[in-house]
Amino acid sequence: MMNGDTTEPLLTARELVKAYGRTEALRGASVELRPGEILALTGASGSGKSTLLHCLAGIVRPDAGSVTYDGQRLEELPEKRLSELRRSDFGVVFQFGQLIPELTALDNVALPLMLAGTGRGEAQARAGEWLERFGVRGQGELRPGEMSGGQAQRTALARALATGPKVVLADEPAGALDSLASEQVMTALTHTARESGTAVLLVTHDAQVAAYADREVQLRDGAVSTLGVTA
Ligand code: ADP
Ligand code: MG
């Protein structure tokens, strides 16, 4: 679908190294995400998938190597610029949701829209539409503590997509869902991404989820072991 040889990557990790004490989470991991591409990042538990995603999002600083987004080296950006960029261009779905516990589902999704300058009424209306897309409109008044894991994941996806990001980085977005629900959520995510040309990095250990991607990259012990061929 994408022409991999001629399209400039939008987001690139080059030779990332990251250790937590004596645990080497990443040892020279490289990956490229092209505009509009859906890329699956797979690998066993503990292989470094979440760490790589956090480095790509500019949340974790690697010990060595570089992350480039749209021509800018993330490690060279001041923290303020980095958080602006994250807010405007990135939609991040964390492995454990990380919704704001005090806010309802609707307000969790509306918040980034309001931070981007949308008025409260309009932000809530749009948030409702995003919850609908992910099948949780009826749960809009629930706070995260009152939600099931699946409802929290659906809400986190709605929140990540609502601002119209250029890149979505999703860490096991269907991890708490059964296979039917996972199919619904993956369909909603990939349809939205295709419609808007959003690039998606999909971290998953589930082959059924990876099948939604154009391409797959596999991590083994903190490094890429196989590079999928772009069609
Ligand atoms: P995956 O997402 O593939 O399961 P992670 O990136 O979460 O892998 O973890 C890779 C390795 O780094 C694991 O051994 C994990 O225990 C370790 N690790 C990840 N994050 C931290 C952290 N914040 N502190 C200490 N060790 C960590
Ligand atoms: Mg993980």
Side-chain angles (χ1 to χ4, degrees):
M1 170 163 269
M2 298 298 303
N3 188 331
D5 294 320
T6 56
T7 315
E8 278 290 299
L10 183 59
L11 183 60
T12 305
R14 198 154 287 139
E15 294 290 315
L16 297 188
V17 174
K18 175 71 190 175
Y20 295 103
R22 287 165 59 191
T23 306
E24 295 177 291
L26 295 177
R27 356 179 167 196
S30 301
V31 68
E32 288 184 345
L33 184 66
R34 297 190 182 83
E37 176 182 44
I38 301 179
L39 175 66
L41 177 66
T42 60
S45 177
S47 59
K49 303 183 298 297
S50 293
T51 305
L52 179 52
L53 181 140
H54 295 151
C55 288
L56 285 166
I59 293 164
V60 165
R61 255 172 218 272
D63 303 329
S66 67
V67 176
T68 306
Y69 172 71
D70 200 15
Q72 308 166 83
R73 297 268 298 255
L74 294 194
E75 61 274 14
E76 288 171 359
L77 295 179
E79 193 53 49
K80 183 165 181 288
R81 178 74 198 100
L82 191 58
S83 44
E84 283 168 6
L85 185 69
R86 225 184 271 134
R87 200 175 284 167
S88 61
D89 287 32
F90 291 5
V92 182
V93 182
F94 294 97
Q95 189 165 5
F96 302 106
Q98 299 191 359
L99 298 168
I100 298 174
E102 293 81 7
L103 298 183
T104 63
L106 193 71
D107 285 333
N108 263 284
V109 179
L111 182 65
L113 295 168
M114 289 167 65
L115 290 174
T118 307
R120 186 182 176 84
E122 169 69 15
Q124 291 206 327
R126 278 164 55 191
E129 288 161 18
W130 282 100
L131 289 177
E132 169 108 59
R133 229 179 226 247
F134 285 97
V136 281
R137 185 168 205 144
Q139 284 72 45
E141 293 309 313
L142 296 185
R143 289 187 170 73
E146 304 160 334
M147 297 175 193
S148 70
Q151 288 167 345
Q153 283 191 325
R154 290 165 187 257
T155 304
L157 276 161
R159 178 179 63 176
L161 287 160
T163 52
K166 298 207 172 65
V167 181
V168 169
L169 302 166
D171 199 349
E172 308 272 9
L177 301 169
D178 64 41
S179 62
L180 179 63
S182 161
E183 209 175 296
Q184 287 169 355
V185 162
M186 289 310 303
T187 302
L189 170 60
T190 50
H191 277 185
T192 304
R194 302 276 187 218
E195 264 170 36
S196 52
T198 308
V200 180
L201 181 82
L202 197 57
V203 167
T204 184
H205 63 266
D206 181 346
Q208 215 179 318
V209 169
Y212 285 88
D214 301 316
R215 193 164 69 91
E216 180 175 343
V217 163
Q218 212 174 80
L219 272 185
R220 181 172 299 171
D221 298 332
V224 170
S225 68
T226 57
L227 259 177
V229 179
T230 308

